[in-house]
Amino acid sequence: MGSGATAAMEACLVAERNGFTWYHVEDVRGPALDDLAGRFGLHELAIEDCRNLRQRAKVEEFDRHLFVIANNVHFTSEKEECFFGEIDFFVGKDFVISVHDGPSRSYRAVRPKFDADPKMAHPGNVLEAFLDWLVDQYLPVLDRIEDRIEAIEERVVGQPSPAILSEIFALRRALIEFRRVATSMREVLHQLMTRPEPWLKSRQAYFRNIYDHVIRALDFVETYRDILNGVLDVHLTATANRTNEIM
């Protein structure tokens, strides 16, 4: 292992505490990830997934570790668009390696908790803290979508227009994308709830709690989709009435 590569890996070291080690990598194409793969026996396919961005959430089992991809969700009001990001985890009995392409908000949220609580030096605790923060961001995204739906509802009867119709379809696409992300995260949490590893079983109740939050978010998605379908019907009816009046 070259000295430059060793320095890159050491720069990613977050903590070594009570036999537990945590690395956080934000340069997915740099040498640190390859060095960590050599040290911890990380599978080459998982390393490839870390470098191929925008992967769906999943859990994969390898000989010495689990590989977990988790997704966050963003919503842009300008384009009425949902898009997702990812953060990846290699989780073993005494280590966690978190991987994100560039600066990570979830890392900035979890790191202070880790520094303040000695009990956080545990693979299940670190993974659970990240997933909890990521899923906690789902409902604020849905709140913003709800606000956009309410704004459209106020305009659709009196001012039906092609622009409003485009907004309705954009929001429907955003909800479909959100549902895809949340559904894959639901499957990830379901798998983590049933894993046999001792270092994950101790957090199963907490994974179940996060799972419940994802289910709640999916319930909201179905509700908002039904509301949007109703708004679309109202828009089409208003447009037809307006056309009849003109005729």
Side-chain angles (χ1 to χ4, degrees):
M1 184 182 297
S3 59
T6 302
M9 186 176 71
E10 290 177 352
C12 297
L13 178 64
V14 178
E16 288 182 305
R17 186 191 300 169
N18 301 328
F20 170 77
T21 306
W22 176 16
Y23 286 90
H24 180 70
V25 179
E26 293 187 342
D27 181 7
V28 297
R29 294 171 183 81
L33 197 53
D34 294 316
D35 286 354
L36 289 167
R39 176 176 175 181
F40 291 95
L42 309 181
H43 200 280
E44 59 181 336
L45 291 177
I47 297 296
E48 183 179 336
D49 278 346
C50 290
R51 288 171 169 156
N52 293 331
L53 304 180
R54 294 183 62 80
Q55 301 280 327
R56 293 288 182 185
K58 64 179 180 178
V59 177
E60 291 187 343
E61 180 180 0
F62 296 102
D63 290 339
R64 296 180 55 192
H65 62 84
L66 293 180
F67 177 59
V68 181
I69 297 180
N71 293 141
N72 58 347
V73 184
H74 306 279
F75 176 72
T76 60
S77 300
E78 296 80 11
K79 296 183 178 181
E80 312 284 5
E81 181 181 33
C82 262
F83 62 96
F84 70 93
E86 71 171 90
I87 182 167
D88 309 321
F89 304 93
F90 297 91
V91 189
K93 66 178 181 179
D94 55 3
F95 72 90
V96 166
I97 301 168
S98 49
V99 182
H100 186 270
D101 184 33
S104 167
R105 290 193 302 151
S106 56
Y107 171 75
R108 294 198 299 270
V110 171
R111 176 66 188 274
K113 297 179 182 179
F114 180 88
D115 293 337
D117 185 359
K119 294 180 181 179
M120 283 285 291
H122 182 278
N125 293 14
V126 172
L127 180 62
E128 180 264 322
F130 269 100
L131 297 181
D132 184 50
W133 188 89
L134 290 171
V135 171
D136 278 348
Q137 311 312 304
Y138 285 12
L139 289 183
V141 169
L142 288 172
D143 287 342
R144 294 179 63 190
I145 292 176
E146 182 186 22
D147 291 341
R148 296 298 305 138
I149 293 173
E150 290 178 351
I152 290 174
E153 282 181 309
E154 293 176 358
R155 296 158 50 204
V156 72
V157 176
Q159 300 174 333
S161 68
I164 293 179
L165 191 61
S166 296
E167 292 180 39
I168 293 172
F169 285 129
L171 284 173
R172 288 178 66 179
R173 288 193 297 270
L175 287 172
I176 290 172
E177 183 66 10
F178 188 104
R179 189 178 187 281
R180 288 175 180 167
V181 172
T183 299
S184 60
M185 282 291 286
R186 179 187 64 187
E187 296 307 312
V188 163
L189 288 158
H190 182 267
Q191 291 186 55
L192 293 175
M193 286 161 46
T194 57
R195 294 296 310 177
E197 291 84 358
W199 35 272
L200 284 180
K201 291 182 71 173
S202 63
R203 307 305 293 176
Q204 285 182 354
Y206 297 92
F207 290 134
R208 188 178 303 112
N209 182 61
I210 303 171
Y211 178 89
D212 290 342
H213 291 172
V214 175
I215 295 298
R216 183 184 177 196
L218 285 169
D219 287 342
F220 278 119
V221 169
E222 295 303 318
T223 299
Y224 295 155
R225 188 174 67 173
D226 290 342
I227 293 173
L228 266 180
N229 287 336
V231 172
L232 178 60
D233 290 341
V234 171
H235 182 278
L236 296 176
T237 300
T239 301
N241 290 340
R242 188 174 180 182
T243 300
N244 289 336
E245 290 174 1
I246 293 174
M247 293 299 293

